[in-house]
Each structure stands twice: as C-alpha cells, then as structure tokens.
Amino acid sequence: MPTPSAPATPSAAQIAASFDLAHLPPAFYADPYPYYRALREHAPVKQLPDGACFLTRYDDILPVYRDPKAFSSDKKQEFGPKYGATPLFAHHTTSLVFNDPPLHTRVRRSILGALSQRHIAAMEPGLIALVDHLLEQLAERGTADLIDDFAAAIPVEVIGNLLRVPHAERGPLRAWSLAILGALEPVLTPERAAAGNAAVLEMLAYLKTLVDARRAHPGDAATDVLTRLIEGDDTGERLTETELLHQCIFLLNAGHETTTNLIGNALFALTEWPEERATLVARTGDDAYVRSAVEEFLRFESSNQLGNRITTRAVDVGGQVLPPDTRITLCIGAANRDPAQFPDPDRLDLAREPNRHLAFGFGIHACAGMNLARLEGRVALSRFLARFPDYALAAAPTRGGRARFRGFLHLPARVVG
Ligand code: HEM
C-alpha cells in the first residue's frame, strides 16, 4: 500500500499562476510577501480571472503613478457594478482620491494649504501631550492592547483636531472609518456592504451638522481645513454641498486606519527584530534616526498595500500592451519589497538609505497627509520606546484580515516602565 504523502508545497510559479485577488488563501493575510515575490518573479503583470491586472514590480508601478492621463483614478466605471446605486458608490466616486482633475485639483489645493510643514509643526506639542497622556494610562494598567489603547487613539484625535470635530463627538469616527474603508476590500461581502453603507449615511448626517455650524462660525481659513473647503479655492469655485461632505468623510477616514497601522505594525515588527529594536531604543532622542526608522516601517509593512487605476487608452505596462479600460491594481506592498529597488528587502533595516518607498503612493495623488502621518509615527514610536523599552507581547496578536489595509485589530502587550 502506498503511504499517503503530505501535499506538495506549491512552487513560486504555481503560486503566481493561481493567484486571484478575489480568492485569497488564509495564509495570504498572515504573510502576503511570498505571494508578492512569486508574482514579481513569474507574473509581474498578472492578468486576474476578472480581467483586471495586478502589478508587483516597483519599476512597473512607478510609471503608472507618474502618468495620471493614461492611468485614471476615476472609479465610476469600476464601482458601478461593485456598489450599485448606494451611499458607498456616491462616497467613493466623489472623494478626491478617486477622481481626476479638475475636481481632484480643486479639492487637493484646499486640503494641502492646511497641511503645510508649518501647520504640521504647530501640531507637534499637542501631539506630544496626547501621546504622553496615553502612555501614562498604559503605565497604570501594566497590560494593554497596543491598538485600542494606543495606536488607534492617536489618529482619531489628530484628524478630529484637523477638522475641529468637538471632542465629545469623536466616539463613532473610528468605527465609521473602518466600515467605509472595509468596503474597499477586493471582495465586497453583503456584511461589509451593509456596514459601509450605514456608516456613510451616519457620517453624512453628522457632518452636515458640523458643516452648518462652521458656516455659521467660520474658522481661520489659513489653518482650518473645513473652512478652506467651504470657502473654495482662489478661483472662487466652490464645492457643492455633497462634494464637500464626501471630502470630509474621506479626510476623516484617510488618516485613520493607515496611521493606526503604521504605529501598530511598527510595534509588532520590533518584537520580531530585536537588534533593530535595541538600536532604536538607544536612539529615541536621535531625530534623524527616528525619521529613518519611520520610513523603514512604512516600507516594510505598508499600511496601505493596494492602489488602483484604470487605463484611458492602450498603454504599455511592463512590456505588455493593455487595452483601454483595463483595471489595474498597484501592489504597493510588493513594490516596497522589490529587490531590484531595495537590497535585502525582507530585512527590517531602520537605517536603510536610500529608501524611496511607495507607501504614500506617488505623483498627483500622493498622500496629502504624509507629513502628518510621519509626525504621528515619530512622536508615537519614539516616546513609547523611551517609556517602555522592555514591552513584550502578552498574547497572540489578531490581524485585521484585510488585503488592502494591513494591520492588527489587537496587539496585547505587557508595558512596564
Ligand atoms: C501611514 C499613514 C498613511 C498612509 C500609508 C497613507 C497612504 C496613502 C496613499 C497610498 C495614497 C494615494 C492613493 C492613490 O494614489 O490612489 C493616499 C492618499 C491620500 N491620503 Fe494618505 N496615507 C496615510 C495617512 C494620511 C493622513 C494622516 C491623511 C490626512 C490628514 C491622509 C490623507 C490623504 C489624502 C487627502 C489623500 C488623497 C490625495 C489625492 O488624491 O490627491 N493620509 N494616502
């Protein structure tokens, strides 16, 4: 009788051949990097069964970001079948990130003005006070969830401050944000659709009251994003009420889970890389080193792993001509581990130089909040490590289980200091 043998481990070529974003195996969510490696090596311009195209090489992705005319961000065509005529469709097709110029240009200008380096630097003292307050609470507890009790508690306040959402009204923001962004996953389950649609409606109703109050009592248009969006740009052109509300929803969401995951992913990665951790703990007061470390965390475990575009004409991508209307997924997580760009890419190297990662995208849609996210990352991580150099995981962490936004739902830890 032949003895039953264990199923053979699939080769990289087989992994690449069978890869389908709509049917990801459970192992992918724990560690997507072997899949990305297989694709980069064997099918860098991967045709998915649904006709879309999945890119994994840095040198194929960067030109897509560079050419917004050939690669549109407008999602109306793609999201029509996905969402139907729903609040999620209205939201995602109105926000600046999923639009091309001219709407994109107008909205971006208004937002960027309030996120200049000077304005962000002015946020630092408040951020330090917030982080130190959270650390104090952690110290009193001894054990804590580094997501709920720390990483997620920071962006909700920062973004709340940016739009001047009153403190007492910030409670539901995180759950709304998780629900709306969760509906961007490659597969939209009925539960995700229902939660996302409900969150858009609740958020619209809430923001209407916030906008009405700000119209009645405008803030300083130099620093207040909402007042800037209400007043419109230098050309005098104003957003419609619907456009305005959807940009606010997007802003509240964009800086939320992404920044939470930057901090959470970094704290987890350090538990797996003790030598890098020891160096960072020893250099928390070295601003240049901490900045370099944050860039490496962004590269190593990019919190936003996937981006999307659609071709507007026939165009060459990685040596293949894609017809017009081809949907493309840009795999940021794979580009940021591409050995052709990053030597020894699976190693966490906090002093990595150069580090031209794509965690914030690139080009006209590059993250408008990147310097704010960097500041949050620097302050949160350096002060946490200075206070709790010996923190340790207290139980197995729970991953978020998402392909697009990579992070943890829970990170239980012992914090003594
Ligand atoms: C670690 C944290 C963050 C990451 C990894 C991240 C990542 C990204 C990426 C990859 C894009 C480009 C999307 C595309 O090209 O399709 C983007 C766009 C954007 N992000 Fe972030 N983001 C982060 C934090 C923030 C924060 C804190 C804010 C707001 C205060 C913000 C606001 C925006 C906005 C407004 C856009 C749209 C820009 C445009 O379309 O012109 N992000 N972000």
Side-chain angles (χ1 to χ4, degrees), residues 51-72:
C53 192
F54 192 83
L55 304 185
T56 43
R57 282 191 183 162
Y58 188 98
D59 285 348
D60 292 337
I61 291 176
L62 192 60
V64 175
Y65 276 127
R66 282 204 162 115
D67 189 350
K69 289 211 170 92
F71 302 97
S72 163

PDB file of all heavy atoms in Angstrom, residues 51-72:
ATOM      1  N   GLY A  51     -10.308  39.884 -15.347  1.00  0.00           N
ATOM      2  CA  GLY A  51      -9.879  40.781 -16.423  1.00  0.00           C
ATOM      3  C   GLY A  51      -8.995  41.920 -15.943  1.00  0.00           C
ATOM      4  O   GLY A  51      -8.396  42.631 -16.751  1.00  0.00           O
ATOM      5  N   ALA A  52      -8.904  42.115 -14.620  1.00  0.00           N
ATOM      6  CA  ALA A  52      -8.047  43.186 -14.101  1.00  0.00           C
ATOM      7  C   ALA A  52      -6.592  42.726 -14.132  1.00  0.00           C
ATOM      8  O   ALA A  52      -6.292  41.558 -14.385  1.00  0.00           O
ATOM      9  CB  ALA A  52      -8.463  43.538 -12.684  1.00  0.00           C
ATOM     10  N   CYS A  53      -5.719  43.668 -13.850  1.00  0.00           N
ATOM     11  CA  CYS A  53      -4.296  43.415 -13.966  1.00  0.00           C
ATOM     12  C   CYS A  53      -3.630  43.773 -12.629  1.00  0.00           C
ATOM     13  O   CYS A  53      -3.951  44.802 -12.051  1.00  0.00           O
ATOM     14  CB  CYS A  53      -3.840  44.336 -15.084  1.00  0.00           C
ATOM     15  SG  CYS A  53      -2.274  44.031 -15.659  1.00  0.00           S
ATOM     16  N   PHE A  54      -2.726  42.926 -12.138  1.00  0.00           N
ATOM     17  CA  PHE A  54      -2.129  43.104 -10.806  1.00  0.00           C
ATOM     18  C   PHE A  54      -0.623  43.304 -10.977  1.00  0.00           C
ATOM     19  O   PHE A  54       0.071  42.416 -11.477  1.00  0.00           O
ATOM     20  CB  PHE A  54      -2.434  41.859  -9.972  1.00  0.00           C
ATOM     21  CG  PHE A  54      -2.134  41.984  -8.510  1.00  0.00           C
ATOM     22  CD1 PHE A  54      -3.042  42.576  -7.642  1.00  0.00           C
ATOM     23  CD2 PHE A  54      -0.944  41.490  -7.976  1.00  0.00           C
ATOM     24  CE1 PHE A  54      -2.780  42.671  -6.280  1.00  0.00           C
ATOM     25  CE2 PHE A  54      -0.670  41.586  -6.621  1.00  0.00           C
ATOM     26  CZ  PHE A  54      -1.595  42.178  -5.767  1.00  0.00           C
ATOM     27  N   LEU A  55      -0.120  44.479 -10.586  1.00  0.00           N
ATOM     28  CA  LEU A  55       1.301  44.799 -10.791  1.00  0.00           C
ATOM     29  C   LEU A  55       2.079  44.689  -9.487  1.00  0.00           C
ATOM     30  O   LEU A  55       1.630  45.186  -8.449  1.00  0.00           O
ATOM     31  CB  LEU A  55       1.461  46.229 -11.319  1.00  0.00           C
ATOM     32  CG  LEU A  55       0.725  46.603 -12.598  1.00  0.00           C
ATOM     33  CD1 LEU A  55       1.118  48.020 -13.020  1.00  0.00           C
ATOM     34  CD2 LEU A  55       1.046  45.621 -13.712  1.00  0.00           C
ATOM     35  N   THR A  56       3.271  44.103  -9.563  1.00  0.00           N
ATOM     36  CA  THR A  56       4.052  43.892  -8.342  1.00  0.00           C
ATOM     37  C   THR A  56       5.474  44.445  -8.411  1.00  0.00           C
ATOM     38  O   THR A  56       6.150  44.500  -7.387  1.00  0.00           O
ATOM     39  CB  THR A  56       4.149  42.377  -8.026  1.00  0.00           C
ATOM     40  OG1 THR A  56       4.408  41.671  -9.239  1.00  0.00           O
ATOM     41  CG2 THR A  56       2.861  41.869  -7.390  1.00  0.00           C
ATOM     42  N   ARG A  57       5.950  44.830  -9.610  1.00  0.00           N
ATOM     43  CA  ARG A  57       7.329  45.322  -9.681  1.00  0.00           C
ATOM     44  C   ARG A  57       7.363  46.836  -9.520  1.00  0.00           C
ATOM     45  O   ARG A  57       6.576  47.553 -10.153  1.00  0.00           O
ATOM     46  CB  ARG A  57       7.958  44.964 -11.035  1.00  0.00           C
ATOM     47  CG  ARG A  57       8.386  43.533 -11.099  1.00  0.00           C
ATOM     48  CD  ARG A  57       9.237  43.295 -12.340  1.00  0.00           C
ATOM     49  NE  ARG A  57       9.580  41.880 -12.428  1.00  0.00           N
ATOM     50  CZ  ARG A  57      10.001  41.284 -13.533  1.00  0.00           C
ATOM     51  NH1 ARG A  57      10.113  41.967 -14.657  1.00  0.00           N
ATOM     52  NH2 ARG A  57      10.301  40.010 -13.518  1.00  0.00           N
ATOM     53  N   TYR A  58       8.312  47.286  -8.711  1.00  0.00           N
ATOM     54  CA  TYR A  58       8.489  48.728  -8.464  1.00  0.00           C
ATOM     55  C   TYR A  58       8.584  49.493  -9.788  1.00  0.00           C
ATOM     56  O   TYR A  58       7.903  50.504  -9.987  1.00  0.00           O
ATOM     57  CB  TYR A  58       9.768  48.908  -7.645  1.00  0.00           C
ATOM     58  CG  TYR A  58      10.022  50.298  -7.125  1.00  0.00           C
ATOM     59  CD1 TYR A  58       9.686  50.639  -5.822  1.00  0.00           C
ATOM     60  CD2 TYR A  58      10.621  51.273  -7.924  1.00  0.00           C
ATOM     61  CE1 TYR A  58       9.948  51.910  -5.322  1.00  0.00           C
ATOM     62  CE2 TYR A  58      10.872  52.543  -7.432  1.00  0.00           C
ATOM     63  CZ  TYR A  58      10.545  52.853  -6.139  1.00  0.00           C
ATOM     64  OH  TYR A  58      10.787  54.114  -5.649  1.00  0.00           O
ATOM     65  N   ASP A  59       9.420  48.971 -10.706  1.00  0.00           N
ATOM     66  CA  ASP A  59       9.662  49.697 -11.957  1.00  0.00           C
ATOM     67  C   ASP A  59       8.467  49.683 -12.900  1.00  0.00           C
ATOM     68  O   ASP A  59       8.443  50.426 -13.882  1.00  0.00           O
ATOM     69  CB  ASP A  59      10.891  49.113 -12.685  1.00  0.00           C
ATOM     70  CG  ASP A  59      12.173  49.544 -12.001  1.00  0.00           C
ATOM     71  OD1 ASP A  59      12.120  50.453 -11.149  1.00  0.00           O
ATOM     72  OD2 ASP A  59      13.231  48.956 -12.309  1.00  0.00           O
ATOM     73  N   ASP A  60       7.487  48.835 -12.667  1.00  0.00           N
ATOM     74  CA  ASP A  60       6.250  48.874 -13.472  1.00  0.00           C
ATOM     75  C   ASP A  60       5.216  49.792 -12.816  1.00  0.00           C
ATOM     76  O   ASP A  60       4.372  50.387 -13.502  1.00  0.00           O
ATOM     77  CB  ASP A  60       5.649  47.464 -13.605  1.00  0.00           C
ATOM     78  CG  ASP A  60       6.526  46.546 -14.447  1.00  0.00           C
ATOM     79  OD1 ASP A  60       7.327  47.072 -15.260  1.00  0.00           O
ATOM     80  OD2 ASP A  60       6.432  45.319 -14.283  1.00  0.00           O
ATOM     81  N   ILE A  61       5.263  49.881 -11.489  1.00  0.00           N
ATOM     82  CA  ILE A  61       4.242  50.649 -10.753  1.00  0.00           C
ATOM     83  C   ILE A  61       4.528  52.153 -10.802  1.00  0.00           C
ATOM     84  O   ILE A  61       3.619  52.963 -11.017  1.00  0.00           O
ATOM     85  CB  ILE A  61       4.160  50.117  -9.299  1.00  0.00           C
ATOM     86  CG1 ILE A  61       3.559  48.700  -9.329  1.00  0.00           C
ATOM     87  CG2 ILE A  61       3.358  51.057  -8.411  1.00  0.00           C
ATOM     88  CD1 ILE A  61       3.501  48.003  -7.993  1.00  0.00           C
ATOM     89  N   LEU A  62       5.798  52.513 -10.650  1.00  0.00           N
ATOM     90  CA  LEU A  62       6.132  53.947 -10.609  1.00  0.00           C
ATOM     91  C   LEU A  62       5.660  54.696 -11.870  1.00  0.00           C
ATOM     92  O   LEU A  62       5.032  55.764 -11.753  1.00  0.00           O
ATOM     93  CB  LEU A  62       7.641  54.116 -10.394  1.00  0.00           C
ATOM     94  CG  LEU A  62       8.105  55.521 -10.044  1.00  0.00           C
ATOM     95  CD1 LEU A  62       7.462  56.021  -8.757  1.00  0.00           C
ATOM     96  CD2 LEU A  62       9.634  55.557  -9.909  1.00  0.00           C
ATOM     97  N   PRO A  63       5.884  54.164 -13.087  1.00  0.00           N
ATOM     98  CA  PRO A  63       5.411  54.885 -14.281  1.00  0.00           C
ATOM     99  C   PRO A  63       3.882  55.057 -14.304  1.00  0.00           C
ATOM    100  O   PRO A  63       3.381  56.013 -14.885  1.00  0.00           O
ATOM    101  CB  PRO A  63       5.864  54.005 -15.449  1.00  0.00           C
ATOM    102  CG  PRO A  63       6.938  53.129 -14.907  1.00  0.00           C
ATOM    103  CD  PRO A  63       6.654  52.953 -13.445  1.00  0.00           C
ATOM    104  N   VAL A  64       3.156  54.129 -13.683  1.00  0.00           N
ATOM    105  CA  VAL A  64       1.691  54.270 -13.639  1.00  0.00           C
ATOM    106  C   VAL A  64       1.327  55.478 -12.777  1.00  0.00           C
ATOM    107  O   VAL A  64       0.509  56.324 -13.165  1.00  0.00           O
ATOM    108  CB  VAL A  64       1.031  52.974 -13.092  1.00  0.00           C
ATOM    109  CG1 VAL A  64      -0.471  53.168 -12.922  1.00  0.00           C
ATOM    110  CG2 VAL A  64       1.323  51.800 -14.029  1.00  0.00           C
ATOM    111  N   TYR A  65       1.965  55.585 -11.621  1.00  0.00           N
ATOM    112  CA  TYR A  65       1.709  56.758 -10.765  1.00  0.00           C
ATOM    113  C   TYR A  65       2.083  58.063 -11.482  1.00  0.00           C
ATOM    114  O   TYR A  65       1.484  59.102 -11.264  1.00  0.00           O
ATOM    115  CB  TYR A  65       2.543  56.660  -9.485  1.00  0.00           C
ATOM    116  CG  TYR A  65       1.921  55.813  -8.396  1.00  0.00           C
ATOM    117  CD1 TYR A  65       2.635  54.780  -7.795  1.00  0.00           C
ATOM    118  CD2 TYR A  65       0.628  56.065  -7.946  1.00  0.00           C
ATOM    119  CE1 TYR A  65       2.078  54.019  -6.784  1.00  0.00           C
ATOM    120  CE2 TYR A  65       0.064  55.302  -6.935  1.00  0.00           C
ATOM    121  CZ  TYR A  65       0.787  54.286  -6.358  1.00  0.00           C
ATOM    122  OH  TYR A  65       0.228  53.542  -5.356  1.00  0.00           O
ATOM    123  N   ARG A  66       3.112  57.963 -12.340  1.00  0.00           N
ATOM    124  CA  ARG A  66       3.634  59.184 -12.977  1.00  0.00           C
ATOM    125  C   ARG A  66       2.756  59.694 -14.099  1.00  0.00           C
ATOM    126  O   ARG A  66       2.942  60.814 -14.568  1.00  0.00           O
ATOM    127  CB  ARG A  66       5.024  58.888 -13.565  1.00  0.00           C
ATOM    128  CG  ARG A  66       6.102  58.878 -12.544  1.00  0.00           C
ATOM    129  CD  ARG A  66       7.448  59.181 -13.221  1.00  0.00           C
ATOM    130  NE  ARG A  66       8.420  59.582 -12.239  1.00  0.00           N
ATOM    131  CZ  ARG A  66       9.521  58.884 -11.934  1.00  0.00           C
ATOM    132  NH1 ARG A  66       9.783  57.770 -12.586  1.00  0.00           N
ATOM    133  NH2 ARG A  66      10.355  59.317 -11.021  1.00  0.00           N
ATOM    134  N   ASP A  67       1.823  58.880 -14.589  1.00  0.00           N
ATOM    135  CA  ASP A  67       1.075  59.249 -15.792  1.00  0.00           C
ATOM    136  C   ASP A  67      -0.442  59.204 -15.531  1.00  0.00           C
ATOM    137  O   ASP A  67      -1.137  58.269 -15.958  1.00  0.00           O
ATOM    138  CB  ASP A  67       1.457  58.293 -16.936  1.00  0.00           C
ATOM    139  CG  ASP A  67       0.894  58.746 -18.272  1.00  0.00           C
ATOM    140  OD1 ASP A  67       0.055  59.678 -18.278  1.00  0.00           O
ATOM    141  OD2 ASP A  67       1.270  58.154 -19.299  1.00  0.00           O
ATOM    142  N   PRO A  68      -0.970  60.238 -14.832  1.00  0.00           N
ATOM    143  CA  PRO A  68      -2.393  60.186 -14.481  1.00  0.00           C
ATOM    144  C   PRO A  68      -3.325  60.333 -15.684  1.00  0.00           C
ATOM    145  O   PRO A  68      -4.512  60.033 -15.580  1.00  0.00           O
ATOM    146  CB  PRO A  68      -2.560  61.364 -13.506  1.00  0.00           C
ATOM    147  CG  PRO A  68      -1.411  62.270 -13.774  1.00  0.00           C
ATOM    148  CD  PRO A  68      -0.286  61.423 -14.294  1.00  0.00           C
ATOM    149  N   LYS A  69      -2.783  60.759 -16.834  1.00  0.00           N
ATOM    150  CA  LYS A  69      -3.655  60.866 -18.016  1.00  0.00           C
ATOM    151  C   LYS A  69      -3.924  59.480 -18.602  1.00  0.00           C
ATOM    152  O   LYS A  69      -5.048  59.166 -18.988  1.00  0.00           O
ATOM    153  CB  LYS A  69      -3.001  61.747 -19.081  1.00  0.00           C
ATOM    154  CG  LYS A  69      -2.983  63.218 -18.694  1.00  0.00           C
ATOM    155  CD  LYS A  69      -3.058  64.088 -19.950  1.00  0.00           C
ATOM    156  CE  LYS A  69      -3.299  65.538 -19.592  1.00  0.00           C
ATOM    157  NZ  LYS A  69      -2.046  66.289 -19.434  1.00  0.00           N
ATOM    158  N   ALA A  70      -2.905  58.650 -18.665  1.00  0.00           N
ATOM    159  CA  ALA A  70      -3.092  57.292 -19.208  1.00  0.00           C
ATOM    160  C   ALA A  70      -3.705  56.360 -18.170  1.00  0.00           C
ATOM    161  O   ALA A  70      -4.364  55.386 -18.516  1.00  0.00           O
ATOM    162  CB  ALA A  70      -1.757  56.731 -19.695  1.00  0.00           C
ATOM    163  N   PHE A  71      -3.481  56.691 -16.867  1.00  0.00           N
ATOM    164  CA  PHE A  71      -3.961  55.809 -15.792  1.00  0.00           C
ATOM    165  C   PHE A  71      -4.850  56.637 -14.863  1.00  0.00           C
ATOM    166  O   PHE A  71      -4.356  57.356 -13.995  1.00  0.00           O
ATOM    167  CB  PHE A  71      -2.772  55.223 -15.023  1.00  0.00           C
ATOM    168  CG  PHE A  71      -1.834  54.444 -15.896  1.00  0.00           C
ATOM    169  CD1 PHE A  71      -0.680  55.029 -16.411  1.00  0.00           C
ATOM    170  CD2 PHE A  71      -2.109  53.123 -16.234  1.00  0.00           C
ATOM    171  CE1 PHE A  71       0.181  54.322 -17.228  1.00  0.00           C
ATOM    172  CE2 PHE A  71      -1.248  52.402 -17.055  1.00  0.00           C
ATOM    173  CZ  PHE A  71      -0.106  53.007 -17.561  1.00  0.00           C
ATOM    174  N   SER A  72      -6.127  56.543 -15.093  1.00  0.00           N
ATOM    175  CA  SER A  72      -7.082  57.391 -14.390  1.00  0.00           C
ATOM    176  C   SER A  72      -7.381  56.841 -12.992  1.00  0.00           C
ATOM    177  O   SER A  72      -7.360  55.632 -12.757  1.00  0.00           O
ATOM    178  CB  SER A  72      -8.377  57.441 -15.218  1.00  0.00           C
ATOM    179  OG  SER A  72      -9.439  57.916 -14.434  1.00  0.00           O
TER     180      SER A  72
END
